[in-house]
Every structure is written in C-alpha cells, then in structure tokens.
Amino acid sequence: MSDPSLDDALQAFVGQSAGPATKGRYPVNEPMIGHWVEAMGDFNPVYVDDQAARAAGFPGVIAPPTMLQAWIMRGLRASLEADAARDAGVASADSPSDKVMALLDGAGFTSVVATNCDQHYERPLVPGDHLEVSSVIDAISGEKKTGLGVGHFITNRLEYRDQSGELVATMRFRILKFRPGTGASASVAAEAAAPRPQRPRPALTQDNEFFFAGAKQHKLLIQKCSSCGTLRHPPRPSCATCRSFDWEAVEASGKGTIYSFVVNHYPQVPAFDYPLVIALVELEEGTRLVANVSGITPETAAIGTAVEVAFEDFDDELSLPVFHPADETRTN
Ligand SMILES: [Zn+2]
C-alpha cells in the first residue's frame, strides 16, 4: 500500500539540487569525437571534417549532440575511488539525492533501473567548450505498480552549461526505485493460468467497416470505384483516379504474392506468437494489404512467394485474413 508519510517526505525534495555541480574532466575535443564516431559507426562528416562542417553552416567541426554525457564523465579512476569510499562507508550521503535514495531504500524500494532519458540541445558543442553540469530533482512520482515491481519514479533535470555559463543542453533522466519481488515475475503462475488476451480490435470507420464485416464471412473484399472501376486498398472515401465517392465491394480471389515482409520480434503483445511474420501481400487483382502469414518462418519467408488467403476466427467478434504459402494444402 502507498505510504502517505513517505510520499510527503519525498515531495519535500522536489526542486532541490541533487548535488554540487560537476565540471567536465576535459574540454570538448576532436580526438574524443573521432573515437566516439568510429565506435558508434556515425560517419556524418560534420563531426570530423572542418570543410564539410563549414559547408553545412557550422563554424567548424561540431561534437555529436548525443556525446553530451561524455563531456562530464569523471573517468575510471575517480569512479573506482568513489566506489571504494562507498564500500568503506566513508562516502558522505548528505546530498538531497542521496537522502531520497536512503528514504526509498529504508522503505524497501532497494532496486533501481534507469527508464527514460530525454535530451534537449540548445546549440551544437564545438572543440574548446568546457561543460559543467548541475542537477535538480525534477519530480518524484507516487507509488506505481510496474512490470518490474512496485516503486517510485524519480526524474532529475540536468543542466549543461559552457565555460561562460550559457545553457547548452538539458537532460531529464528518470529512474525507477522499486521493491524487488513485486513485479510481473512474481505473478507468472497467475498469468499462465489466465486466458490468452484477445487480439487487438481494428479501429472501425465507415470506410473500412465493410472489410472486417467481409472477413467475418470469410470473404476478402476490395473497394471498387463505381464510376471508373479502379480498385483501392486500404479503404478510403474517394477514388484517387476519378474523385468519385461512389464505391462498391468486390470479392478478391484470395491469391497473391508476398510483395514485402517484416519479422516482428519486439515489442511483444500477448495476443500474438513471436517471431511474427507480417507481410505486404499483393493480390492478383493489384491491390496490396498487410496481413499475417502462417506456415512460414522468418527463415522461409521470401519476397515473391505465392500465397493464398484463409480466414482465422480469433474470437466471436474478430475474423481476419491470414495468408499461407499457395503450395500448402489447406482445407479452410
Ligand atoms: Zn474512380
């Protein structure tokens, strides 16, 4: 259960500085930029080639914006010394940020994970800029139930300034401090016993309703302009060829080929099986539609594969076309 006195104690820290400002160990410099872009595989010439940078309207080479945090990292040795001091119990834990952590640790929220990082850049950084960062506790959420466990989100706002005090970037960094053993893994058995969630419903409109009504009757329908006869999909109000709003539906043969496909691995929605092959099927009538393909794996899926439609009744309300390789014998 949420603890109001803990919430009050946490909220008192919002707006406070998370700790003293930190100055970057090195100024922005070309050697570090060179190593970074090679490690990241970023070959934009404005980071390494002065002429290319000038041609792009910059005063000279600039640092990749996403290098922001690199310019204030304290380095390995200082990190090891800080770790050793903490292990020896000599680290001072009196910054507001440390106190928030201690409060949450004391209430059992002992695990931590970083969840969001949003950066906003005011101007490109150039060699010679020497950054300093200060941090403010921006927000602390009430108790939330998450997949990892019950916990509180803490957002810090970090302001990066150059040697003249000008704000060059802002970063909001959010962590979740959570109570171990209270997340989804604790209820795996309960989830396994629960029925499978239904497939997401299509968003029905007066333009596309006929398509799904047809699927329920195991018919694959295509919109056809009543004026000029042009077929179209996805459904829409008017004909792109003659602008007519009059249309009718015609039944497709259900034969086609895989025009393109993707294999979806993440994010995973419980109603689907993964890896999930999703194809853009070109029907022999000429229109294309997005559909699942069964009887095919990521390894055997190929552009140009002849496919045929079948219909799957997912539940009482939803039936959808699912294609399968045409050489595969099916009874439905
Ligand atoms: Zn038309």
Side-chain angles (χ1 to χ4, degrees), residues 195-319:
R196 191 170 207 203
Q198 287 191 331
R199 243 173 117 107
R201 310 287 98 173
L204 292 182
T205 67
Q206 60 183 13
D207 294 322
N208 70 15
E209 192 274 337
F210 80 95
F211 178 84
F212 295 101
K216 211 160 154 30
Q217 297 169 28
H218 292 194
K219 289 180 179 171
L220 185 62
L221 300 181
I222 310 175
Q223 229 181 353
K224 179 188 173 188
C225 175
S226 302
S227 175
C228 74
T230 303
L231 299 175
R232 62 182 191 257
H233 188 89
R236 47 192 180 270
S238 73
C239 175
T241 304
C242 77
R243 312 274 186 247
S244 170
F245 285 92
D246 298 325
W247 60 270
E248 57 211 75
V250 293
E251 187 172 355
S253 70
K255 296 187 200 312
T257 53
I258 295 181
Y259 185 81
S260 184
F261 69 94
V262 294
V263 180
N264 180 203
H265 297 273
Y266 297 99
Q268 298 200 342
V269 176
F272 297 88
D273 294 314
Y274 295 86
L276 177 64
V277 179
I278 303 164
L280 182 61
V281 174
E282 183 164 79
L283 299 177
E284 64 180 5
E285 290 83 2
T287 57
R288 299 175 192 144
L289 78 162
V290 174
N292 291 156
V293 183
S294 67
I296 208 164
T297 67
E299 292 72 31
T300 60
I303 288 170
T305 303
V307 290
E308 246 178 285
V309 78
F311 284 86
E312 196 165 336
D313 301 318
F314 291 101
D315 51 62
D316 288 346
E317 292 169 353
L318 185 66
S319 302

